[in-house]
Amino acid sequence: MSPSIFSTVAQLVITAIWMFSLSPNFCKAWSIDSSCIAFPQVQAAMTEALNLVIYAKLRAANAPPRLGTSMVDLLAAPNENDPNTLEFVQTWYQNVIDAASVPSPDGIVIQCTDANLTPIDLANRKYIDTKRGNKVVYAPKIPGATLTDNACGGFIKAFAYPADRQQIVLLCSDSNSGALKSSYSDLLGPWRTAGDLTALTPVKEKGLDALGMYLSTMILHELMHAASMAEQLKKLQFAQFPAILPDEVNGQPIGEIYQYSPISGKQLGDSISSGQSTVNNLQHNADSMALLAASWYLPVYKWVNGKCGVIPKADRAPATFLNTPTPPGPS
């Protein structure tokens, strides 16, 4: 074989290996801690959470126009097709995908117990992670709630924290309030193509908040925090999705905002808001982004003032966009 032919063949082989390594079907990145063995639903829910952001990014970028009031209600956008807001959500949904694609042992780790978090200063909810070199961790504070001494506190659904080059997503299992015990046991996916979501009792009673009860949406909320932590590793910047939002309200700092009515300022079904937080705050609010992705993930439905309605077939987005990537899988 001549040197030129050998060189050409070698280049083709190298190119093939490189393309193979980039194939979404073979991308293994985020990982699941051994504490999740008792919770087999976690892997499917994490995969669905990534499918939510993949679809939401494509939905933000592609026709047909978005219907309902999800982006107005959750991000204080001027309308559902505001180009600046759509560009913002595409950026941060892509950042979630990027964070979940970091190869293990770095990157996102899903954990299902707080047993490795030992308290050292309960008054300030300060712990050390005995599994990760006694890394200092601050667990969430819940104003007005009486918490137990463990990090999940007998009350918290989930939280995320950085540990060097890892982002830990802790799904609480210490009480019936924890994400692993309070979330719906099934996935959102089947509602994309079958059934009548508008007839589901939780949807009739809770509206958009019903989507927040799925484990995949709860995980996505934490992935917004994790992506923010991952971006901070790349460059010096403030957290995009912090526990305390950037703009004060009535001269007082406020924590992140959960659920439809507190975010939108609307009662379910009402078109008038009694008072919504600032655009800046809502664009820093993890629950806004998680609920938005969940609302878009179901192409049959629109959410008008938090209530579920059916989109006529001619106006629906496709269930799958062309060249939709496969989500990164667990290591």
Side-chain angles (χ1 to χ4, degrees), residues 25 110 147 263 298 300:
N25 294 316
I110 308 296
L147 303 178
I263 292 171
L298 306 172
V300 175

Side-chain angles (χ1 to χ4, degrees), residues 92 225 228-229 232 237-244 246 284:
W92 275 97
H225 292 301
S228 181
M229 296 167 191
Q232 287 177 284
Q237 64 175 38
F238 293 109
Q240 181 65 38
F241 298 100
I244 302 297
H284 284 78

Side-chain angles (χ1 to χ4, degrees), residues 10 15 27 31 41 43 72 74 85 98-100 112 124 158 169 172 198 207 223 246 258 267 278 283 293 307:
T15 301
C27 176
S31 60
Q41 72 271 34
Q43 181 168 332
V72 171
L74 298 170
T85 310
D98 291 346
C112 298
N124 292 301
V169 172
C172 292
T198 63
L223 291 181
Y258 301 88
Q267 295 302 309
T278 64
Q283 288 192 351
K307 297 191 76 171

